[in-house]
Amino acid sequence: MAIIEVSNLKKSFGKLEVLKQITLDVNKNDVIAVIGPSGSGKSTMLRSLVHLEEINAGSITISGEPFVKEGIYAKPQEIKQITSKMGMVFQHFNLFPHLTVRENLELPPRLVKKEPITSIQQRSTELLRKVGLTEKSDAYPANLSGGQKQRVAIARALMMNPEILLFDEPTSALDPELTGEVLEVIKALAEEQMTMMVVTHEMGFAREVANRVIFMDNGEIIESGHPSELFTNPQNERTKAFLSRSLK
């Protein structure tokens, strides 16, 4: 069963149409890499799924619950409840600079879920170990590398126990030598069968970790398929042209 269902999604900024009739399904445990040139609508699509962008038309259903149907949104409380099933990791980390690493992790569940502090602390300890940052728990973001900040951001998203994780170009703000440590964390999550959508320019990662690759261009899904098929035998001329530039 599809955990995310998107149908005929349209989004415009003024007269600029950034998403044109986007339709896709994401199944439980899928790892989907979304690739394509800059400005093709990849990030806008992802942001629409968590209601950071309002769409103009179409439907979005998460775990069988629609929060927008044919362009009509559900009530705010329903949207909040449905979108809480997803966590999002951004390109630029978005950590609170005045909070320590541990405090960055523990603030969202404390404010939103009102969980007992002992269970929150236990989970933050486990997740810091998972992303390899136990020794940085009392450090502030300013004292971390870009790769460390992004690993904290991933752990923070996991603190809310999401069913689905969305990554918006998680390595594009990093130096090449720091990219690998972040991709290793995402790869480990894939091995644990976390459902994920990853907007990425890392073709090697998409080929190795994803079970489906979606190629977007000019606000449309041009082609999608298993990495072994899409990378070695793309069917669309726009896909071929993009990959010939990207895989050099």
Side-chain angles (χ1 to χ4, degrees):
M1 177 190 157
I3 196 168
I4 299 176
E5 297 168 84
V6 175
S7 176
N8 298 320
L9 214 64
K10 288 185 176 182
K11 170 68 180 175
S12 297
F13 294 110
K15 292 184 178 179
L16 178 65
E17 201 177 11
V18 285
L19 296 177
K20 306 169 185 174
Q21 301 280 20
I22 296 289
T23 295
L24 68 96
D25 287 348
V26 178
N27 293 318
K28 190 171 172 57
N29 309 134
D30 269 350
V31 179
I32 296 181
V34 185
I35 65 171
S38 297
S40 58
K42 306 183 300 295
S43 296
T44 302
M45 178 183 73
L46 225 58
R47 291 171 64 84
S48 299
L49 297 179
V50 287
H51 199 226
L52 290 174
E53 299 286 356
E54 288 218 351
I55 62 168
N56 302 115
S59 303
I60 302 172
T61 299
I62 308 297
S63 295
E65 298 181 74
F67 75 84
V68 54
K69 195 167 186 178
E70 295 178 1
I72 308 298
Y73 277 88
K75 294 173 183 172
Q77 195 55 40
E78 292 173 349
I79 295 172
K80 189 176 177 183
Q81 183 265 320
I82 294 167
T83 56
S84 71
K85 297 176 184 196
M86 294 177 282
M88 186 148 178
V89 178
F90 299 91
Q91 184 177 344
H92 292 292
F93 328 127
N94 292 6
L95 300 179
F96 295 111
H98 62 291
L99 299 181
T100 66
V101 164
R102 183 182 288 278
E103 287 166 345
N104 264 283
L105 264 63
E106 294 178 357
L107 183 64
R110 213 171 71 224
L111 290 181
V112 178
K113 294 198 168 185
K114 307 287 196 293
E115 288 182 58
I117 191 67
T118 50
S119 66
I120 290 174
Q121 288 172 338
Q122 184 180 353
R123 195 155 76 254
S124 68
T125 298
E126 289 169 3
L127 287 171
L128 286 172
R129 185 168 64 245
K130 189 188 199 85
V131 299
L133 289 172
T134 301
E135 76 287 356
K136 297 291 185 182
S137 63
D138 297 321
Y140 287 89
N143 298 319
L144 302 178
S145 70
Q148 289 169 336
K149 288 176 188 173
Q150 194 60 292
R151 284 187 280 154
V152 173
I154 294 170
R156 183 177 62 180
L158 290 168
M159 282 293 291
M160 301 297 282
N161 290 322
E163 295 177 24
I164 305 153
L165 266 186
L166 308 177
F167 293 86
D168 187 11
E169 301 192 19
T171 61
S172 62
L174 303 179
D175 294 332
E177 64 268 23
L178 300 176
T179 294
E181 66 189 56
V182 173
L183 294 180
E184 282 301 317
V185 172
I186 301 174
K187 197 185 299 184
L189 292 171
E191 289 167 0
E192 293 172 12
Q193 299 197 306
M194 168 66 79
T195 306
M196 294 187 283
M197 288 186 75
V198 187
V199 171
T200 184
H201 292 291
E202 298 292 332
M203 297 299 137
F205 168 80
R207 179 179 259 165
E208 183 186 352
V209 179
N211 68 307
R212 180 149 51 108
V213 178
I214 291 172
F215 170 65
M216 288 183 69
D217 191 16
N218 195 28
E220 300 174 291
I221 292 177
I222 304 301
E223 190 169 348
S224 74
H226 192 274
S228 62
E229 298 162 3
L230 191 133
F231 283 111
T232 56
N233 190 28
Q235 300 300 301
N236 189 284
E237 290 303 319
R238 280 150 81 183
T239 316
K240 289 177 186 175
F242 174 77
L243 290 176
S244 71
R245 293 191 304 269
S246 302
L247 296 175
K248 282 179 181 175

